[in-house]
Amino acid sequence: MFWLGITFISSHGVGGGKMLILDLLFRDGAATAQDILVRIGGPLLMAIAGAAGGLFAPSLTIGAVMGSFMAQIVWPHNHHLLIMTSMISFLSGFMQTPFTAFILIFEMTDRHSALFPMMLSSAIAVGTSRIFHKKSFYDLVKEDFLHQHHKASK
């Protein structure tokens, strides 16, 4: 029932987002405000429900949709660069893993000419994220796992 509601709001709401990213990056697709809401709402509801939904693909898709939407408003003549840097920024900010995010998008797009903007967006996103929380997502998960393991061993 949930997926039916998501599909009703936006057809881009179902799936991992690979086809949406390909459409935005390589086929000149455009994202809407509904796409942003669906792409953020879906993983958020899955996390609240306790279901495993992955981290990389949803983060990359949210970044791509947000970048595409912003590119339509701010910088339409070079929207591919804004989409790539938004994907890197969102993943870097969420995971606080700038090198992983940068290399992942760099390998996926093979855009050597965008090397500096991609690295810069990753660094800015991690710096901004650390203002709000000093620890990375992986550190938080590790601490939670160790805490649960410690409670179970008592």
Side-chain angles (χ1 to χ4, degrees):
M1 189 61 152
F2 169 73
W3 293 115
L4 185 60
I6 294 292
T7 305
F8 181 71
I9 295 170
S10 171
S11 62
H12 293 147
V14 179
K18 178 182 176 184
M19 295 309 294
L20 178 58
I21 291 173
L22 290 174
D23 186 41
L24 294 174
L25 277 176
F26 303 114
R27 296 186 199 106
D28 294 327
T32 64
Q34 290 90 358
D35 293 333
I36 294 173
L37 293 174
V38 166
R39 277 298 170 186
I40 291 174
L44 185 62
L45 290 173
M46 295 299 283
I48 291 170
L55 299 171
F56 285 109
S59 295
L60 291 175
T61 307
I62 291 168
V65 170
M66 291 174 78
S68 174
F69 185 73
M70 289 303 295
Q72 294 171 43
I73 298 167
V74 178
W75 203 15
H77 69 278
N78 201 358
H79 66 282
H80 293 112
L81 180 61
L82 195 53
I83 291 170
M84 286 189 310
T85 56
S86 294
M87 290 168 67
I88 291 170
S89 296
F90 195 87
L91 185 60
S92 293
F94 176 66
M95 306 287 261
Q96 291 189 3
T97 54
F99 191 70
T100 301
F102 164 71
I103 293 297
L104 186 69
I105 303 303
F106 184 70
E107 287 290 323
M108 187 167 69
T109 60
D110 197 28
R111 299 284 189 234
H112 299 279
S113 61
L115 190 63
F116 182 71
M118 290 173 16
M119 290 171 60
L120 185 62
S121 67
S122 184
I124 290 170
V126 169
T128 304
S129 177
R130 288 195 177 143
I131 290 171
F132 296 102
H133 204 287
K134 300 290 182 211
K135 294 184 180 180
S136 74
F137 174 78
Y138 293 114
D139 287 336
L140 295 173
V141 170
K142 176 186 74 173
E143 288 175 3
D144 185 51
F145 175 76
L146 291 174
H147 179 72
Q148 294 295 333
H149 180 69
H150 182 71
K151 280 178 40 179
S153 65
K154 283 186 174 184

